[in-house]
Amino acid sequence: MTARPDADSPPDFDCLVFIGRFQPPHLGHLAVIREALRHARQVIVLVGSAWQARSLRNPWRYEERLRMLRSAFEEEENARLEVVPLLDALYNNDVWVRDVQRKVRDIASPEHARLPRIGLIGASRGQSSYYLALFPQWESVSVPLVEGISASRIRDRLFRSASSAEDYLSTHAAHDLPPGVVARIRDFLEEAPYGQLVEEQHLLDQYRQAWSQAPYPPIFVTVNAVVVQSGHVLLVRRTAAPGKGLYALPGGFISPHERLMDACLRELRERVRLKVPEAVLKGSLRGQRLFDEPHRSWRGRTLAEAFYFALRPEQQLPQLKPVRGGDHARWVPLADLDPEGLFEDHFFIIQDFLGLPADFDRP
């Protein structure tokens, strides 16, 4: 793609689309967006992992990343930028692709009564053949990668400790981040979520240290139960880090000598004291699937075998007996499910079994 010779020349594209998580937005991201602004009348930035609970991989919410991105551009540039949240669909590419297509279709405006020319832009490393195969109707535009900038390394410096974050912001951040992003991160260091994420980083370091002498990186196997009755799903509220205060599916690690189904039933019996006979649960089983997204768990490579139980509708939901010192279980209406309030990928597990729509718009 060649640059326009002057400002009066028509743009190469009506619309260029850039997809990323921007955790946080760094100078590499900005280089791609500025290149898109040079060659397109309109640029759509789709911010992935929107409305997910804070984690070390996704520490900033969509609204915070939106402000960071906007702060890096002048008024005229912002007028040509459409920044839009994008909810992940970890276990259904077709749902995710449909959501991307619909958002771009609704934003990209035709000019002079013709179909808009749309392209998908990204840095050389990020613009993989995998994404190209998902959007064959759009042209591919690749720009040079800005070397030496890594969002994961930035997050590692910021959440190692408050002193590590301050040292990074004072000495190295100018090479990675625009000034407006640095200022917003400094404000974030004073907020309660930052302290919670630092605590989770310490727990993760301890976890990794415990396995540091293993001959191979560990792979963990867990089970989860998706129990649904009368428009409600059974969830537990976590009382400790990681994910303190978030809702999660009942579940846990399997014991060395038990089958996966037996582990799931044990967790329901011991963790939430679900007052449903085991025979009824087994008769209500409607699905079973392995969830294996590589980044799904904070602790590392963790596979989750989930079981979907659809209990017969009743006027009264089954009773849950509190477990002393444990997580607090409750029945949550499906209409109240909020991806931002669920631990790890548990919203997407529920979404996969129940066929919940990918569209999720804040009021």
Side-chain angles (χ1 to χ4, degrees):
M1 184 173 66
T2 57
R4 288 184 289 171
D6 57 66
D8 296 327
S9 300
D12 299 303
F13 290 86
D14 294 292
C15 177
L16 280 171
V17 180
F18 183 33
I19 305 173
R21 289 190 307 117
F22 310 102
Q23 292 280 12
H26 54 60
L27 294 177
H29 297 135
L30 266 59
V32 175
I33 295 173
R34 288 204 166 95
E35 187 69 9
L37 287 168
R38 291 180 60 220
H39 296 280
R41 180 168 52 87
Q42 182 182 40
V43 176
I44 300 175
V45 178
L46 296 178
V47 180
S49 298
W51 303 308
Q52 283 190 227
R54 294 190 197 273
S55 67
L56 291 170
R57 191 165 187 264
N58 292 298
W60 292 284
R61 291 176 172 162
Y62 162 72
E63 293 83 1
E64 295 164 331
R65 287 174 282 164
L66 170 63
R67 289 192 291 270
M68 290 180 183
L69 282 164
R70 291 292 189 193
S71 72
F73 295 95
E74 301 295 333
E75 181 178 354
E76 185 276 333
E77 295 171 318
N78 272 311
R80 295 166 54 209
L81 278 179
E82 291 284 349
V83 184
V84 182
L86 182 65
L87 179 66
D88 293 344
L90 295 184
Y91 301 107
N92 192 324
N93 277 340
D94 291 333
V95 168
W96 183 81
V97 168
R98 175 177 174 269
D99 196 26
V100 171
Q101 290 173 342
R102 289 181 62 185
K103 289 182 183 297
V104 173
R105 179 202 65 190
D106 293 344
I107 295 172
S109 55
E111 191 173 52
H112 306 306
R114 61 173 177 79
L115 291 175
R117 183 184 177 189
I118 300 174
L120 185 65
I121 191 170
S124 301
R125 183 175 60 188
Q127 190 73 355
S128 65
S129 58
Y130 172 75
Y131 279 101
L132 297 180
L134 293 177
F135 302 99
Q137 73 274 36
W138 298 337
E139 297 181 51
S140 169
V141 179
S142 183
V143 299
L145 179 72
V146 177
E147 298 290 345
I149 301 179
S150 164
S152 61
R153 286 200 296 269
I154 293 171
R155 294 194 302 270
D156 184 69
R157 291 291 301 273
L158 291 174
F159 297 103
R160 185 66 51 190
S161 67
S163 59
S164 174
E166 183 55 42
D167 176 69
Y168 168 73
L169 293 174
S170 300
T171 59
H172 296 92
H175 301 291
D176 301 333
L177 304 170
V181 174
V182 173
R184 280 158 177 77
I185 290 177
R186 284 191 183 277
D187 292 338
F188 184 68
L189 299 187
E190 304 299 322
E191 300 173 7
Y194 175 74
Q196 295 173 348
L197 291 171
V198 169
E199 179 185 1
E200 292 193 8
Q201 181 65 59
H202 291 166
L203 286 174
L204 179 58
D205 292 341
Q206 294 171 11
Y207 209 84
R208 288 173 173 168
Q209 181 62 32
W211 290 92
S212 61
Q213 300 304 313
Y216 303 101
I219 298 178
F220 305 100
V221 180
T222 62
V223 291
N224 286 112
V226 181
V227 185
V228 176
Q229 180 175 315
S230 304
H232 291 70
V233 61
L234 179 60
L235 298 176
V236 296
R237 188 183 287 276
R238 296 178 61 85
T239 58
K244 183 177 180 180
L246 298 176
Y247 281 114
L249 292 167
F253 291 98
I254 65 170
S255 297
H257 304 294
E258 66 182 347
R259 295 178 179 272
L260 293 170
M261 169 65 88
D262 295 334
C264 184
L265 294 174
R266 172 180 54 77
E267 288 288 335
L268 287 173
R269 183 174 61 250
E270 297 177 356
R271 187 177 295 271
V272 300
R273 304 284 181 89
L274 177 63
K275 294 300 182 181
V276 175
E278 186 171 299
V280 173
L281 280 171
K282 288 183 175 180
S284 303
L285 183 65
R286 296 293 180 267
Q288 175 181 348
R289 184 178 167 189
L290 179 69
F291 293 88
D292 60 352
E293 204 282 326
H295 301 289
R296 63 171 302 275
S297 176
W298 72 281
R299 65 176 62 87
R301 195 72 170 102
T302 305
L303 310 179
E305 186 76 11
F307 297 82
Y308 169 38
F309 303 95
L311 300 178
R312 189 177 67 181
E314 299 283 357
Q315 281 292 106
Q316 297 293 325
L317 295 168
Q319 291 184 348
L320 307 170
K321 185 177 180 180
V323 180
R324 180 176 297 177
D327 298 332
H328 303 298
R330 62 166 292 196
W331 291 98
V332 176
L334 295 177
D336 292 346
L337 286 179
D338 182 353
E340 206 167 273
L342 269 79
F343 185 55
E344 293 186 340
D345 64 342
H346 292 196
F347 174 83
F348 304 107
I349 293 175
I350 299 170
Q351 179 190 58
D352 186 72
F353 280 124
L354 273 60
L356 301 179
D359 297 334
F360 184 82
D361 295 318
R362 288 285 191 223

